[in-house]
């Protein structure tokens, strides 16, 4: 059964993780107002970056993790993400997994690995504009029913869907899902 996570801390810490080049750092910059360097090649973010988003009740710390394809650490980028999500570094309250709307199968591999950690999770399907240009139809409700994870559909370059991400964060709509036969 899914659970909505509620924390009573003053600062709610959320890690952003995704494959390289899914727009994760663009989403981070839009949400925090920062200007973290981004690029079109793997490994640009080789350490985590932090920024904050505030509302009237709470402060949200967003931690932008390096782009990675896996949580089985074989590189420095993967090791940083693994340590953060496994609690071997600063504890986090929830995780937003940024998925490539054009390549869900590859992105969902990382998403299910994060789910397997037993962490509160939400998915952001980014690059919806490119998926639409390719004729892909993303059935978000079906995906939600299948995975049990709250999600938002975005186009970070055009700043579309980011209010939905903020709403998801501020409502702390993250689900811990039971390990499924995947």
């Amino acid at each position: 059964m899914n659970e909505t996570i509620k924390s009573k801390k003053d600062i709610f810490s959320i890690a952003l993780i995704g494959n390289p080049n899914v727009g994760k750092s663009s989403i981070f910059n839009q949400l925090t107002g920062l200007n973290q360097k981004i690029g079109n090649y793997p490994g640009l973010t080789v350490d985590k970056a932090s920024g904050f988003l505030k509302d009237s009740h709470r402060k949200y710390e967003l931690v932008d993790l390096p782009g990675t394809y896996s949580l089985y650490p074989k590189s420095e980028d993967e090791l940083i993400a693994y340590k953060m999500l496994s609690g071997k570094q600063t504890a986090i309250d929830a995780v937003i997994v940024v998925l490539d709307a054009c390549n869900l199968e590859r992105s969902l591999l990382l998403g299910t690995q994060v789910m397997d950690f037993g962490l509160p999770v939400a998915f952001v399907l980014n690059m919806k504009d490119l998926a639409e240009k390719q004729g892909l139809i993303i059935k978000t409700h079906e995906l939600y029913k299948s995975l049990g994870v709250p999600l938002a559909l975005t186009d970070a370059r055009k700043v579309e869907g980011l209010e939905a991400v903020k709403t998801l964060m501020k409502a702390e709509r993250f689900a811990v899902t039971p390990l499924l036969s995947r």
Side-chain angles (χ1 to χ4, degrees):
M1 173 173 244
N2 294 340
E3 302 172 21
T4 298
I5 305 304
K6 291 289 183 184
S7 171
K8 301 300 179 197
K9 298 184 335 180
D10 290 333
I11 298 177
F12 192 82
S13 180
I14 303 167
L16 272 73
I17 191 168
N19 296 153
N21 303 314
V22 297
K24 177 183 53 60
S25 293
S26 294
I27 291 170
F28 173 84
N29 287 337
Q30 293 289 341
L31 293 173
T32 62
L34 296 176
N35 190 23
Q36 180 179 335
K37 190 179 285 190
I38 54 176
N40 290 328
Y41 52 94
L44 182 62
T45 306
V46 293
D47 198 1
K48 62 186 190 301
S50 293
F52 293 91
L53 175 70
K54 297 177 188 175
D55 73 3
S56 59
H57 304 330
R58 183 174 302 209
K59 189 175 190 179
Y60 298 88
E61 177 185 24
L62 279 84
V63 180
D64 185 15
L65 297 175
T68 183
Y69 291 106
S70 173
L71 289 177
Y72 299 108
K74 295 178 185 168
S75 68
E76 183 181 347
D77 293 356
E78 292 170 349
L79 185 59
I80 290 167
Y82 172 80
K83 284 181 176 179
M84 187 71 169
L85 298 182
S86 66
K88 295 183 188 296
Q89 289 184 342
T90 308
I92 56 164
D93 296 303
V95 181
I96 292 177
V97 181
V98 181
L99 306 173
D100 180 348
C102 298
N103 197 341
L104 280 178
E105 186 175 335
R106 181 176 60 192
S107 292
L108 281 171
L109 173 63
L110 179 63
T112 56
Q113 288 176 352
V114 173
M115 291 168 67
D116 287 345
F117 269 75
L119 297 167
V121 178
F123 289 160
V124 171
L125 285 75
N126 194 35
M127 298 191 277
K128 72 176 186 132
D129 60 322
L130 298 178
E132 289 167 355
K133 282 182 184 177
Q134 292 179 19
L136 299 173
I137 298 170
I138 301 169
K139 298 179 180 180
T140 55
H141 185 69
E142 293 297 319
L143 188 58
Y144 169 75
K145 284 184 354 185
S146 174
L147 297 171
V149 175
L151 53 93
L153 189 59
T154 63
D155 177 356
R157 289 182 298 173
K158 295 180 183 170
V159 196
E160 293 177 10
L162 291 175
E163 283 303 315
V165 176
K166 287 180 186 178
T167 299
L168 196 127
M169 289 171 42
K170 291 177 180 180
E172 297 173 21
R173 290 205 54 236
F174 298 90
V176 175
T177 59
L179 297 179
L180 304 172
S181 313
R182 296 193 252 285

